[in-house]
Amino acid sequence: MAHVINDECVSCGACAAACPVSAISEGDGKYVVDAATCIDCGACEGECPTGAIQAE
Ligand code: SF4
């Protein structure tokens, strides 16, 4: 399992800075979580101003 970023993302980058394993990078129009790298810690969830990050 991994966290996912939905279309509410405004590409602010706050989540990427919070991720301890650098699983988040800027994608096409929104940031994306690399599911293979994510350890499901949840650190990014609280950083998102639009609530775009959820556990899947
Ligand atoms: Fe990174 Fe943790 Fe968010 Fe996964 S849940 S993307 S490891 S901050």
Side-chain angles (χ1 to χ4, degrees), residues 3 15 18-24 33 37-45 53:
H3 275 56
C15 56
C19 181
V21 294
S22 299
I24 306 177
V33 177
T37 305
C38 176
I39 55 173
D40 242 3
C41 70
C44 51
E45 251 178 295
I53 308 178

PDB file of all heavy atoms in Angstrom, residues 3 15 18-24 33 37-45 53, ligand 1:
ATOM      1  N   HIS A   3       0.548   5.899  -0.148  1.00  0.00           N
ATOM      2  CA  HIS A   3      -0.321   7.064  -0.175  1.00  0.00           C
ATOM      3  C   HIS A   3      -0.440   7.546  -1.626  1.00  0.00           C
ATOM      4  O   HIS A   3       0.451   7.309  -2.443  1.00  0.00           O
ATOM      5  CB  HIS A   3       0.254   8.168   0.717  1.00  0.00           C
ATOM      6  CG  HIS A   3      -0.140   8.024   2.162  1.00  0.00           C
ATOM      7  ND1 HIS A   3       0.112   6.882   2.882  1.00  0.00           N
ATOM      8  CD2 HIS A   3      -0.808   8.868   3.001  1.00  0.00           C
ATOM      9  CE1 HIS A   3      -0.369   7.030   4.112  1.00  0.00           C
ATOM     10  NE2 HIS A   3      -0.931   8.219   4.213  1.00  0.00           N
ATOM     11  N   CYS A  15       4.438  18.546   0.402  1.00  0.00           N
ATOM     12  CA  CYS A  15       4.502  17.124   0.749  1.00  0.00           C
ATOM     13  C   CYS A  15       5.872  16.526   0.446  1.00  0.00           C
ATOM     14  O   CYS A  15       6.398  15.726   1.225  1.00  0.00           O
ATOM     15  CB  CYS A  15       3.433  16.351  -0.013  1.00  0.00           C
ATOM     16  SG  CYS A  15       3.522  16.562  -1.819  1.00  0.00           S
ATOM     17  N   ALA A  18       8.341  16.957   3.093  1.00  0.00           N
ATOM     18  CA  ALA A  18       8.044  16.243   4.339  1.00  0.00           C
ATOM     19  C   ALA A  18       8.321  14.746   4.266  1.00  0.00           C
ATOM     20  O   ALA A  18       8.447  14.081   5.289  1.00  0.00           O
ATOM     21  CB  ALA A  18       6.566  16.452   4.704  1.00  0.00           C
ATOM     22  N   CYS A  19       8.442  14.205   3.097  1.00  0.00           N
ATOM     23  CA  CYS A  19       8.598  12.748   2.941  1.00  0.00           C
ATOM     24  C   CYS A  19      10.012  12.299   3.329  1.00  0.00           C
ATOM     25  O   CYS A  19      10.994  12.744   2.741  1.00  0.00           O
ATOM     26  CB  CYS A  19       8.308  12.340   1.497  1.00  0.00           C
ATOM     27  SG  CYS A  19       8.462  10.556   1.234  1.00  0.00           S
ATOM     28  N   PRO A  20      10.114  11.395   4.321  1.00  0.00           N
ATOM     29  CA  PRO A  20      11.417  10.940   4.813  1.00  0.00           C
ATOM     30  C   PRO A  20      12.173  10.043   3.838  1.00  0.00           C
ATOM     31  O   PRO A  20      13.389   9.877   3.970  1.00  0.00           O
ATOM     32  CB  PRO A  20      11.076  10.197   6.104  1.00  0.00           C
ATOM     33  CG  PRO A  20       9.696   9.679   5.858  1.00  0.00           C
ATOM     34  CD  PRO A  20       9.013  10.785   5.080  1.00  0.00           C
ATOM     35  N   VAL A  21      11.460   9.495   2.865  1.00  0.00           N
ATOM     36  CA  VAL A  21      12.141   8.595   1.922  1.00  0.00           C
ATOM     37  C   VAL A  21      12.145   9.137   0.487  1.00  0.00           C
ATOM     38  O   VAL A  21      12.430   8.419  -0.468  1.00  0.00           O
ATOM     39  CB  VAL A  21      11.503   7.180   1.954  1.00  0.00           C
ATOM     40  CG1 VAL A  21      11.752   6.515   3.312  1.00  0.00           C
ATOM     41  CG2 VAL A  21      10.010   7.233   1.648  1.00  0.00           C
ATOM     42  N   SER A  22      11.821  10.442   0.362  1.00  0.00           N
ATOM     43  CA  SER A  22      11.820  11.103  -0.945  1.00  0.00           C
ATOM     44  C   SER A  22      11.010  10.357  -2.006  1.00  0.00           C
ATOM     45  O   SER A  22      11.466  10.195  -3.148  1.00  0.00           O
ATOM     46  CB  SER A  22      13.261  11.295  -1.435  1.00  0.00           C
ATOM     47  OG  SER A  22      13.981  12.105  -0.536  1.00  0.00           O
ATOM     48  N   ALA A  23       9.814   9.923  -1.606  1.00  0.00           N
ATOM     49  CA  ALA A  23       8.965   9.177  -2.541  1.00  0.00           C
ATOM     50  C   ALA A  23       8.099  10.083  -3.408  1.00  0.00           C
ATOM     51  O   ALA A  23       7.471   9.623  -4.357  1.00  0.00           O
ATOM     52  CB  ALA A  23       8.065   8.221  -1.763  1.00  0.00           C
ATOM     53  N   ILE A  24       8.075  11.392  -3.069  1.00  0.00           N
ATOM     54  CA  ILE A  24       7.190  12.305  -3.785  1.00  0.00           C
ATOM     55  C   ILE A  24       7.972  13.197  -4.738  1.00  0.00           C
ATOM     56  O   ILE A  24       8.976  13.795  -4.376  1.00  0.00           O
ATOM     57  CB  ILE A  24       6.402  13.187  -2.793  1.00  0.00           C
ATOM     58  CG1 ILE A  24       5.670  12.305  -1.774  1.00  0.00           C
ATOM     59  CG2 ILE A  24       5.400  14.067  -3.541  1.00  0.00           C
ATOM     60  CD1 ILE A  24       4.925  13.090  -0.701  1.00  0.00           C
ATOM     61  N   VAL A  33       3.257  10.121  -5.851  1.00  0.00           N
ATOM     62  CA  VAL A  33       3.958   9.285  -4.879  1.00  0.00           C
ATOM     63  C   VAL A  33       4.443   8.018  -5.586  1.00  0.00           C
ATOM     64  O   VAL A  33       3.653   7.342  -6.253  1.00  0.00           O
ATOM     65  CB  VAL A  33       3.026   8.877  -3.717  1.00  0.00           C
ATOM     66  CG1 VAL A  33       3.754   7.948  -2.752  1.00  0.00           C
ATOM     67  CG2 VAL A  33       2.516  10.115  -2.983  1.00  0.00           C
ATOM     68  N   THR A  37       8.448   3.155  -3.316  1.00  0.00           N
ATOM     69  CA  THR A  37       9.326   3.779  -2.331  1.00  0.00           C
ATOM     70  C   THR A  37       8.586   4.145  -1.044  1.00  0.00           C
ATOM     71  O   THR A  37       9.132   4.054   0.053  1.00  0.00           O
ATOM     72  CB  THR A  37       9.968   5.056  -2.915  1.00  0.00           C
ATOM     73  OG1 THR A  37      10.633   4.717  -4.131  1.00  0.00           O
ATOM     74  CG2 THR A  37      10.974   5.667  -1.947  1.00  0.00           C
ATOM     75  N   CYS A  38       7.327   4.543  -1.156  1.00  0.00           N
ATOM     76  CA  CYS A  38       6.507   4.966  -0.010  1.00  0.00           C
ATOM     77  C   CYS A  38       6.427   3.880   1.066  1.00  0.00           C
ATOM     78  O   CYS A  38       6.177   2.719   0.773  1.00  0.00           O
ATOM     79  CB  CYS A  38       5.098   5.304  -0.505  1.00  0.00           C
ATOM     80  SG  CYS A  38       3.920   5.742   0.795  1.00  0.00           S
ATOM     81  N   ILE A  39       6.675   4.301   2.319  1.00  0.00           N
ATOM     82  CA  ILE A  39       6.591   3.360   3.444  1.00  0.00           C
ATOM     83  C   ILE A  39       5.295   3.580   4.244  1.00  0.00           C
ATOM     84  O   ILE A  39       5.130   3.069   5.343  1.00  0.00           O
ATOM     85  CB  ILE A  39       7.811   3.505   4.381  1.00  0.00           C
ATOM     86  CG1 ILE A  39       7.975   4.959   4.854  1.00  0.00           C
ATOM     87  CG2 ILE A  39       9.084   3.034   3.667  1.00  0.00           C
ATOM     88  CD1 ILE A  39       9.066   5.160   5.916  1.00  0.00           C
ATOM     89  N   ASP A  40       4.366   4.374   3.658  1.00  0.00           N
ATOM     90  CA  ASP A  40       3.050   4.589   4.266  1.00  0.00           C
ATOM     91  C   ASP A  40       3.111   5.217   5.657  1.00  0.00           C
ATOM     92  O   ASP A  40       2.315   4.864   6.526  1.00  0.00           O
ATOM     93  CB  ASP A  40       2.287   3.258   4.342  1.00  0.00           C
ATOM     94  CG  ASP A  40       0.997   3.297   3.517  1.00  0.00           C
ATOM     95  OD1 ASP A  40       0.747   4.320   2.856  1.00  0.00           O
ATOM     96  OD2 ASP A  40       0.248   2.308   3.549  1.00  0.00           O
ATOM     97  N   CYS A  41       4.034   6.124   5.870  1.00  0.00           N
ATOM     98  CA  CYS A  41       4.187   6.723   7.195  1.00  0.00           C
ATOM     99  C   CYS A  41       3.118   7.772   7.492  1.00  0.00           C
ATOM    100  O   CYS A  41       2.788   8.023   8.633  1.00  0.00           O
ATOM    101  CB  CYS A  41       5.567   7.348   7.327  1.00  0.00           C
ATOM    102  SG  CYS A  41       5.796   8.842   6.324  1.00  0.00           S
ATOM    103  N   GLY A  42       2.594   8.425   6.435  1.00  0.00           N
ATOM    104  CA  GLY A  42       1.552   9.423   6.618  1.00  0.00           C
ATOM    105  C   GLY A  42       2.047  10.835   6.884  1.00  0.00           C
ATOM    106  O   GLY A  42       1.242  11.742   7.084  1.00  0.00           O
ATOM    107  N   ALA A  43       3.361  11.046   6.873  1.00  0.00           N
ATOM    108  CA  ALA A  43       3.926  12.364   7.161  1.00  0.00           C
ATOM    109  C   ALA A  43       3.462  13.429   6.172  1.00  0.00           C
ATOM    110  O   ALA A  43       3.300  14.594   6.527  1.00  0.00           O
ATOM    111  CB  ALA A  43       5.452  12.284   7.156  1.00  0.00           C
ATOM    112  N   CYS A  44       3.236  13.051   4.951  1.00  0.00           N
ATOM    113  CA  CYS A  44       2.851  14.008   3.907  1.00  0.00           C
ATOM    114  C   CYS A  44       1.405  14.474   4.048  1.00  0.00           C
ATOM    115  O   CYS A  44       1.080  15.614   3.703  1.00  0.00           O
ATOM    116  CB  CYS A  44       3.030  13.369   2.537  1.00  0.00           C
ATOM    117  SG  CYS A  44       2.238  11.743   2.369  1.00  0.00           S
ATOM    118  N   GLU A  45       0.553  13.615   4.548  1.00  0.00           N
ATOM    119  CA  GLU A  45      -0.884  13.908   4.621  1.00  0.00           C
ATOM    120  C   GLU A  45      -1.200  15.245   5.273  1.00  0.00           C
ATOM    121  O   GLU A  45      -1.972  16.046   4.752  1.00  0.00           O
ATOM    122  CB  GLU A  45      -1.585  12.808   5.419  1.00  0.00           C
ATOM    123  CG  GLU A  45      -2.461  11.893   4.599  1.00  0.00           C
ATOM    124  CD  GLU A  45      -3.087  10.809   5.458  1.00  0.00           C
ATOM    125  OE1 GLU A  45      -2.340   9.957   6.007  1.00  0.00           O
ATOM    126  OE2 GLU A  45      -4.310  10.822   5.589  1.00  0.00           O
ATOM    127  N   ILE A  53      -3.871  14.338  -0.301  1.00  0.00           N
ATOM    128  CA  ILE A  53      -3.150  13.090  -0.073  1.00  0.00           C
ATOM    129  C   ILE A  53      -3.932  12.144   0.818  1.00  0.00           C
ATOM    130  O   ILE A  53      -4.376  12.511   1.899  1.00  0.00           O
ATOM    131  CB  ILE A  53      -1.770  13.360   0.548  1.00  0.00           C
ATOM    132  CG1 ILE A  53      -1.017  14.394  -0.284  1.00  0.00           C
ATOM    133  CG2 ILE A  53      -0.968  12.057   0.631  1.00  0.00           C
ATOM    134  CD1 ILE A  53       0.346  14.760   0.287  1.00  0.00           C
TER     135      ILE A  53
HETATM  136 FE1  SF4 B   1       6.476   9.698   1.893  1.00  0.00          FE
HETATM  137 FE2  SF4 B   1       5.335   8.840   4.150  1.00  0.00          FE
HETATM  138 FE3  SF4 B   1       3.887  10.206   2.346  1.00  0.00          FE
HETATM  139 FE4  SF4 B   1       4.698   7.713   1.800  1.00  0.00          FE
HETATM  140  S1  SF4 B   1       3.235   8.304   3.428  1.00  0.00           S
HETATM  141  S2  SF4 B   1       4.788   9.471   0.390  1.00  0.00           S
HETATM  142  S3  SF4 B   1       6.713   7.646   2.808  1.00  0.00           S
HETATM  143  S4  SF4 B   1       5.631  11.003   3.543  1.00  0.00           S
END
